[in-house]
Amino acid sequence: MTELDFNWMAGGPQGSGVDAAANIFGRACAYGGLYVYGRREYHSNIKGLHSYFHLRVSTHEVLANVNDVDLLAAFDAETIVRHLGEVVPGGGIIVDKDQLNTNISAIPTLPLELKSTLRRYLESRGLSDRLGDLLEDAKKREINIFQVPYMDLLKQIATKLGIDKLSKIMRTINVLTLGISFGLIDYEIELVEKAIKAFFREKPKIIEMNILAMSLAYEYAKENFSEDFKFKIKSLPVREERILLSGNQAVAIGKVLGGCRFQTYYPITPAADESEYIESHEILKSKIPGENAGVVVLQTEDEISAINMASGAALTGVRASTSTSGPGFSLMVEGLSWAGNNEVPVVITYYQRGAPSTGLPTRHGQDDLRFAIHAGHGEFPRIVLASGDIRECFYDAIAAFNYAERFQLPVIHLIDKALANSFQTFPMFEIKDIKIQRGNILNEEDLRGIEYKRFAFTEGGISPRVFLGTKGGIHWYTGDEHNEFGHISEEADNRTKMMEKRMSKLETIDREISINEKINFFGNEDADNIVVSWGSPKGAIIEALNKLTSEGFNLSFLQVRMVHPIPIQHIKEILQKAERIIDVEMNYSGQLGGIIREKTGISMDFQILKYNGRPMTSTEVYNAIKLVLQGRAPKRQVLNYGS
Amino acid sequence: MTELDFNWMAGGPQGSGVDAAANIFGRACAYGGLYVYGRREYHSNIKGLHSYFHLRVSTHEVLANVNDVDLLAAFDAETIVRHLGEVVPGGGIIVDKDQLNTNISAIPTLPLELKSTLRRYLESRGLSDRLGDLLEDAKKREINIFQVPYMDLLKQIATKLGIDKLSKIMRTINVLTLGISFGLIDYEIELVEKAIKAFFREKPKIIEMNILAMSLAYEYAKENFSEDFKFKIKSLPVREERILLSGNQAVAIGKVLGGCRFQTYYPITPAADESEYIESHEILKSKIPGENAGVVVLQTEDEISAINMASGAALTGVRASTSTSGPGFSLMVEGLSWAGNNEVPVVITYYQRGAPSTGLPTRHGQDDLRFAIHAGHGEFPRIVLASGDIRECFYDAIAAFNYAERFQLPVIHLIDKALANSFQTFPMFEIKDIKIQRGNILNEEDLRGIEYKRFAFTEGGISPRVFLGTKGGIHWYTGDEHNEFGHISEEADNRTKMMEKRMSKLETIDREISINEKINFFGNEDADNIVVSWGSPKGAIIEALNKLTSEGFNLSFLQVRMVHPIPIQHIKEILQKAERIIDVEMNYSGQLGGIIREKTGISMDFQILKYNGRPMTSTEVYNAIKLVLQGRAPKRQVLNYGS
Amino acid sequence: MALSWTDFKTDVFIDWCPGCGNYGILTALQMTLAELGLEPHRVVLVSGIGCSGKLPHFVKAYGVHTLHGRVLPFAQGIKIANPSLEVIAIGGDGDGLGIGAGHFVNAGRRNVDITYLIHNNGVYGLTKGQASPTLKLNLKVKSIPKPNLNEGMNPIILAIAAGYTFVARAYAYDTKHLKEILKQAIRHKGLALVDILQPCPTYNDINTKEWYAGLDRIDPKTGKPMSRLYKLEEIDYDPTVHNPDEELDKKIAAIEKAKEWGDKIPIGIFYKNELVPAFHERIAKRMPFYLSSPPAKQIIHDSNNSPAIYIDEFLEELKMT
Amino acid sequence: MALSWTDFKTDVFIDWCPGCGNYGILTALQMTLAELGLEPHRVVLVSGIGCSGKLPHFVKAYGVHTLHGRVLPFAQGIKIANPSLEVIAIGGDGDGLGIGAGHFVNAGRRNVDITYLIHNNGVYGLTKGQASPTLKLNLKVKSIPKPNLNEGMNPIILAIAAGYTFVARAYAYDTKHLKEILKQAIRHKGLALVDILQPCPTYNDINTKEWYAGLDRIDPKTGKPMSRLYKLEEIDYDPTVHNPDEELDKKIAAIEKAKEWGDKIPIGIFYKNELVPAFHERIAKRMPFYLSSPPAKQIIHDSNNSPAIYIDEFLEELKMT
Ligand SMILES: Cc1ncc(C[n+]2csc(CCOP(=O)(O)OP(=O)(O)O)c2C)c(N)n1
Ligand SMILES: Cc1ncc(C[n+]2csc(CCOP(=O)(O)OP(=O)(O)O)c2C)c(N)n1
Ligand code: SF4
Ligand code: SF4
Ligand SMILES: [Mg+2]
Ligand SMILES: [Mg+2]
């Protein structure tokens, strides 16, 4: 069987159902035993500005997008103008017939910057301002233009459903293009229907309308274009249990499974979805007879309150966490420092997005590694975990709580927007291997007859913990430097000892957490060329690695998952053997590279960076690494795919 | 003439006038042409807990404290218990006769941690719990105990002044010990009187009372002890104009001279003194005929408001700044990121103190270097300046504004508590060399006929600036990524260009600011051993350097003043020649050392660190470096002098 | 030449949802600026983050789109540094009363002469419809999964408690009335709040345009909907404090009015007091030249770029001679 | 065995200035805890930063000395996670009404069942006497160089505007009265504010003990000072909302009382309303087992340390079969 690798894109204004279309598309494919990976792009806007979904379908597991679009389902003219360049020769564009006369320069939502670029492009190719003209030109690149009379089809649907106002079914343009798409690629329509039913669940009316629209379009495509399009997709028998989910969902499920019962948040993109998803499942099902389980999810007045409420809650013994992104995390910094000083096991899920400041609220970036590590005045231990894919989001969410409690410190779980809002299929989680590790906790019995000191000096820096309210364990917390009881102390010697107690945990962590939990290594141990990265570029790098290896290049990949405290010794051992080290990161300065150099003295030989707000694709990572391996790359390459 | 080096310490509860005594002592000596350096230590407390002032007097310029105390003026028993160990053989202690029977373990303000240490000490020396016993024991170390009947003297003063309530003059215990001190060292009493007058300025009653108390005690000492004490001090003719001031004052004066006219603050130790000092001089004297000058100092509701008000103000064209310390800076981080994104010339004076969290609010530390450099989500350019002494505090305060406006970015001026609250004598500032550099600003005339773009792409990243309210220059600011006009833009290409525009300023700074403003280098260029440091350890290091050099050691000292963007090339050139690099810092992890390794690949061979909340002394720095030079030091030495 | 509201338009695409109440506010504000004859370059619109926060980009005047909840610190900083600017602060209800509540309350203590518009839509629009601080207890707008756990706050009462000297409410779709309120708010000497009821058709399906218009309440007599809104100007209500003794009574009257909700919602000016000194007057008392030489207008260097001031007074105390 | 207030003492040195009003508050609180028979380990004192913030270290009960201005978020987090704890929040006026004002206001919307003591001394004590948000306009306490530029805010009125369901004022040196108020505040179901007038002899030379006692106002008849303080219990004043209709009137009455200052300063309970559901009741409506199995008491793993819950409901929607 040949390997299928099909790239579909749907685009339209926010609020027109791009997301729904992509979800249904993804589900339909996944139900058919195919693997999907999908990335969502949208403006910081509620309705009207351009959004799109870039979806990849394959018979093997897919980990990232590529630069290509094989089929573009355009809800509107802007989608074509923006994405035409990505459609491959032999690929296709689904376009509304009635929009061919659209004047490009009159599209109101196109920003000035883009308009002037477009004007130059049209001039250079001697084209008019008409959309139809642009598409004619595209045909020269062997792109198929599938002109569909959206309005006619909608009218037919309306008639069939007995609806008189067209506006009521305008929202089905998305499934209409979906139907055309599936018709073109000749996929089993039953699976698409199943996906529509699953997506709209308890809304039979909407299901009916959408299935009707989809199938009408499906048939239209079969009748009118089926010969023209070379891409065809067939379902496969599924052998294993698979799930399709986003990073937001993976974190949410990991948290509750990991014992989180108290979550605070202040709304922010792209973190809020996680909290809302937990809230909508707030009542949990306990395995233990007679026990109840539920998560209290609190929307606070700001992020300052979110972190401090969570810390307060953590002192009572509950596993507590908060989720945010850059602007919110900035406000949490003072609270983080308090939690660090007081050895509070609190988890902060930090969704990175384009920054600085409000930045690109709905776009991708990995700019906050150094900030996560150094945030907060003073020096105190913390753990920073960075998940590389959606699967890791789940496992790391659980690990975060285990580490927080075992080592009694704040844990920051770094996620990039590209993971939060993308979805991917993969085999079901291995839930039975998951363990909850709560660390050293004393209860009423344990305390009998002892004088309890919350911050007792110990080997390794970890003092047994007592929850607020426990009989016999009264103690104090303070943001001031304190003695073993938790009372304020300004004594010089005590200060030195307390600093050393706290900071020595970093060594304890180094010792006690296995290296397998801290790094992933892919490829040949003895490869001359090593790619180093963290977070979401993982998928694109692995795909590039596989391809380059199959082409005979000698390459491996070190993914750092525990970015702080970073496992210096292991990284050093791995890297010092390499001839060329290639740092791949989604930020301007190559932050992880800097950290590695700081800690090991080893420099990154090459940087492949990207900071245009869009995630890396396998294509561009592959190209960039190849240039390095061929000795043709500058020391610093900046990638720029994505619109 | 022999070199004088005399170390005086006064100690007593907060609120008993330790500070005043030290100020008067320092002034009296400075009036006599001597150099002084004084460090203030106090608890985060208003009244009752122990505070002291460690003051050094010399015929040559003094830059730091040493470990010794030659004369300890104890207002209370606690002072003796805490500082006895620091008094040198041949030195003296001024003690209240009536307190000799004090039970040490009954001193209520001694913290538990200290009491148990003390108990062990007393036991080990076979001493009782009585203060007198402890002092007797001290005599074995050839320490002179000057027993003074404080109450008798106070009564005499009361009688002379016709005061019936002793409580009214209890506050003169401080000058009483001052009088004893000066009597013992046989210093000119007129200078002491002059200092009292200057200190209490417009309060003739208080002046009278204090002069009386001081002179009575002075005479008492002369009569009773003059033979016993070997240290004597004489005034010198002063040749140059000298000033005595603290870091807080130096910054304040630098700011207003540098053109700051808008300062916001939220009270916090040790920053608030600066703002209050400015406020009390809010009306300034303009040189320019017909012009008025004055600073608006605003106490805000919190630090979030402080930074954002200052940024807002800066957009109107005023030189605006705010001052804070760790907890406050943590709250400013989100605003900092906005200012970075919007290229706002705002100055943040960051007084470091013991951290994390509330930490040691009145104690010293240098823990926040990394935090200052990486604070704020996203990557944006900033300048971080770290002053090494009080003199630099003044010049850097001015430079901060010049840099902020020239490069249009936030500037963080890092000061340590040890500079803020210490005072030192040195020659008058060279005011005539100071220049104000406002950078590229367009006014109404300049704007005529042009389409203004606030964030125009330029070579070097700096776009001409227009103040809010200027005719013809309307533009926008936003924390979102923006186009050249300042309107929100999420376009991928614009994003890459804007990131590069902003970040390229770091290279512009590298090019345009001379290396002399960024580093100081002391000692022989070709020395095999180089000490690297930043901030307040400077003084102690220079003194150690001088001494070690005079002993024949081969040593130099690189002080980094612009810690970000750090002048990589120069530092590399300097350090790569060295055989041994010794990193001296007041934090746990040697942060500057880490930065240097990150940027240059060069590792620090030795670390001399301290994090007990007390500044480094020349003595301990000297000792620790010497161990290194003699090949007897471990890689990491942790200093611990100071109580 | 007289200004028209279109002089205050930019060519930036307005990306609010169709039917959003913000359109009415934008137009009313542009008309206000034109009718007050304010030159665009003398106006600074300062906004927070939210759908509402985008407004300055749509107005041709200086625009400062700040941080979530921080519109008041920025606006006050700008105004105090340069009191000759006309500073208008703009933000959402979440922005001003949730994350920004500390500034909201403390601004009342300063009474800086700026105007503050709260776009009150009961939701966090830009983050997809979570409950805002004005949404009442137990209500469930369509975008939240469960009824609201928190009591809703009343911006009018909070402003009065905090010391605002001009407190009004208007309605986004009554552009004309809104414009008149805005004019008075801008003219007011001191801190003016205009709480603008702003339907968010996308997320708030309770306080809709139709609801305000009373489409569910048809007057049996006329057969027409009975609007829930009524104007304070049209009843016997005098919001102004004419002498200091009246202050408490006027505040209480305003609070009583502000408590009305449901079938009778007053709009108009609830409270107005110009007897409280504005912040610039307080500073000018300390620094008599403040209004003529405010911080932003002082010359800080001479023609040689040397500092423009003497620091002798500082040095006096520090000289050791 | 009955508890005595000395059971709540620690051996930490109390480092407040001699004569500080905080001593009275500390004692009253210790007596309250003893008289209410609260076991020390069930009590959590949560404090902000300031002189006042040190209080928990002097009380033998769980103590959480938090951040400046953040006492309410911590206290609410603790209480919501474990509603069986008796949570008392403590802080200065700067802490609660300056930097913490946003939390102050928004806490009113939740009505969590905790008690909040504000040590109201008109200054920022621990930072050496700057004006606090309650210091009135133009006053100059001895620690500030120039008269206050800001209007002072009234905590009672602000709390009522924000939705607190128990609002009282007490005086630090009237320990007995303070204790009785504290008892009622702790017993109150919902969020209770006690604004405590606390002389700071070191920095506030206006609102001194002598001033409150009226030492400057000698009754010509009795020759005795006429205290400025009077008790609401001693006049015909009923703070309690007995049925929902009374709410507005009671609030207005409280505001009118709260406006009294100068020669007649009321202390006592200004407002009390138990008809508003407390936050735990709101959560319990959604999650019926909340009070018996609150977050802090749930078992999160089984005896094999495996997670204690099933996640089938989540996975259901995500399975691709
Ligand atoms: C510190 C911070 N937290 C959260 C956000 C995310 N955020 C953006 S808009 C918004 C809420 C907007 O609601 P509102 O202020 O009511 O304005 P509206 O959109 O309704 O006009 C939030 C929470 C942010 N930008 N910054
Ligand atoms: C974020 C932050 N800003 C500033 C401070 C400094 N600070 C310590 S106590 C205090 C004010 C205390 O005043 P108040 O809250 O009234 O308490 P009081 O000392 O009067 O009891 C301040 C501003 C701090 N600790 N944290
Ligand atoms: S979400 Fe609501 S407030 Fe925001 S633009 Fe849409 S309708 Fe307006
Ligand atoms: S400064 Fe004031 S509030 Fe603080 S302890 Fe002293 S008297 Fe009390
Ligand atoms: Mg809103
Ligand atoms: Mg106070």
Side-chain angles (χ1 to χ4, degrees), chain A residues 231-255:
Chain A
F231 296 90
K232 305 291 166 196
I233 300 187
K234 279 268 142 316
S235 71
L236 295 174
V238 196
R239 273 163 286 258
E240 56 181 4
E241 210 174 25
R242 276 193 210 142
I243 48 179
L244 173 70
L245 82 176
S246 70
N248 280 136
Q249 291 173 313
V251 173
I253 302 172
K255 279 190 174 180

Side-chain angles (χ1 to χ4, degrees), chain C residues 43-298:
Chain C
V43 176
V44 185
L45 302 187
V46 189
S47 67
I49 297 283
C51 296
S52 42
K54 295 178 179 174
L55 191 143
H57 295 285
F58 311 141
V59 179
K60 186 157 295 122
Y62 280 100
V64 187
H65 180 191
T66 73
L67 290 165
H68 191 43
R70 313 306 167 195
V71 58
L72 285 176
F74 277 95
Q76 291 172 95
I78 291 168
K79 181 72 181 183
I80 297 170
N82 186 351
S84 72
L85 298 172
E86 195 61 68
V87 177
I88 298 170
I90 291 154
D93 43 1
D95 193 84
L97 302 165
I99 192 168
H103 309 303
F104 184 96
V105 166
N106 279 286
R109 298 171 45 228
R110 287 191 198 96
N111 199 29
V112 174
D113 185 18
I114 60 178
T115 301
Y116 181 22
L117 279 56
I118 289 200
H119 297 220
N120 185 348
N121 57 9
V123 291
Y124 281 20
L126 194 54
T127 47
K128 298 189 295 188
Q130 298 86 357
S132 91
T134 61
L135 189 71
K136 299 203 177 349
L137 183 65
N138 285 328
L139 290 192
K140 196 195 122 5
V141 288
K142 70 177 166 194
S143 45
I144 60 177
K146 313 255 159 111
N148 191 15
L149 275 177
N150 301 324
E151 198 75 63
M153 69 167 72
N154 188 316
I156 303 285
I157 298 180
L158 193 68
I160 286 171
Y164 284 59
T165 52
F166 180 103
V167 183
R169 185 192 278 148
Y171 178 53
Y173 288 113
D174 189 345
T175 324
K176 205 171 134 241
H177 178 257
L178 170 56
K179 184 190 70 185
E180 291 309 319
I181 297 286
L182 289 179
K183 277 195 205 166
Q184 297 193 51
I186 292 173
R187 284 200 196 111
H188 173 75
K189 174 184 71 71
L191 180 58
L193 174 77
V194 186
D195 173 33
I196 308 175
L197 303 175
Q198 177 240 318
C200 164
T202 302
Y203 295 121
N204 186 333
D205 53 350
I206 296 177
N207 310 118
T208 58
K209 194 173 173 176
E210 293 71 27
W211 184 82
Y212 284 116
L215 294 196
D216 56 329
R217 308 192 311 158
I218 305 299
D219 187 334
K221 279 176 280 178
T222 64
K224 285 195 184 150
M226 297 184 296
S227 168
R228 288 189 157 79
L229 301 168
Y230 76 95
K231 303 202 169 97
L232 289 170
E233 304 87 287
E234 293 172 359
I235 62 165
D236 183 25
Y237 183 85
D238 175 10
T240 308
V241 178
H242 301 283
N243 71 62
D245 296 348
E246 285 178 9
E247 187 182 312
L248 180 58
D249 288 345
K250 296 279 175 173
K251 282 188 172 169
I252 285 179
I255 291 171
E256 284 178 334
K257 275 286 156 218
K259 270 277 168 188
E260 292 180 9
W261 189 256
D263 286 348
K264 262 183 72 195
I265 303 173
I267 57 176
I269 301 170
F270 285 68
Y271 180 78
K272 179 174 165 73
N273 184 353
E274 286 197 327
L275 306 176
V276 177
F279 200 69
H280 58 264
E281 295 169 332
R282 302 180 196 171
I283 301 188
K285 234 169 108 181
R286 281 190 179 190
M287 198 178 278
F289 53 81
Y290 168 65
L291 284 173
S292 58
S293 304
K297 300 217 173 137
Q298 292 180 26

Side-chain angles (χ1 to χ4, degrees), chain D residues 145-318:
Chain D
K146 314 256 159 106
N148 191 14
L149 276 178
N150 301 324
E151 198 75 64
M153 70 167 72
N154 188 314
I156 303 285
I157 297 179
L158 194 67
I160 286 171
Y164 284 60
T165 52
F166 179 104
V167 183
R169 186 192 278 148
Y171 178 52
Y173 288 114
D174 189 344
T175 323
K176 204 169 135 245
H177 177 258
L178 171 55
K179 184 190 73 186
E180 292 308 320
I181 297 286
L182 289 179
K183 277 193 204 166
Q184 297 193 52
I186 291 173
R187 284 199 197 114
H188 172 75
K189 174 184 71 71
L191 180 58
L193 174 78
V194 186
D195 173 34
I196 308 174
L197 303 173
Q198 176 239 319
C200 164
T202 302
Y203 295 121
N204 186 333
D205 55 350
I206 296 177
N207 310 117
T208 59
K209 193 174 172 172
E210 294 70 27
W211 184 82
Y212 284 116
L215 295 195
D216 56 330
R217 308 192 311 158
I218 304 299
D219 186 337
K221 280 177 281 181
T222 64
K224 285 195 182 148
M226 296 183 295
S227 168
R228 287 189 159 79
L229 301 169
Y230 76 96
K231 301 201 169 97
L232 288 171
E233 305 86 287
E234 293 172 0
I235 62 165
D236 183 22
Y237 183 84
D238 175 10
T240 307
V241 178
H242 302 283
N243 70 62
D245 295 348
E246 285 180 10
E247 189 184 310
L248 180 58
D249 287 347
K250 294 281 173 171
K251 282 189 173 169
I252 285 179
I255 291 172
E256 283 178 334
K257 275 286 154 217
K259 270 278 166 186
E260 293 180 9
W261 189 255
D263 286 349
K264 261 183 74 193
I265 302 173
I267 56 175
I269 301 170
F270 285 67
Y271 179 77
K272 179 174 165 71
N273 184 354
E274 286 196 327
L275 306 176
V276 177
F279 200 69
H280 59 265
E281 296 169 332
R282 302 180 197 173
I283 302 189
K285 235 170 106 179
R286 281 191 179 189
M287 198 179 277
F289 52 80
Y290 168 65
L291 285 173
S292 57
S293 303
K297 300 217 174 137
Q298 292 180 25
I299 293 166
I300 60 168
H301 59 73
D302 63 17
S303 50
N304 292 321
N305 291 328
S306 296
I309 59 159
Y310 297 107
I311 51 167
D312 306 12
E313 267 171 52
F314 288 91
L315 297 178
E316 207 65 31
E317 307 160 18
L318 309 173

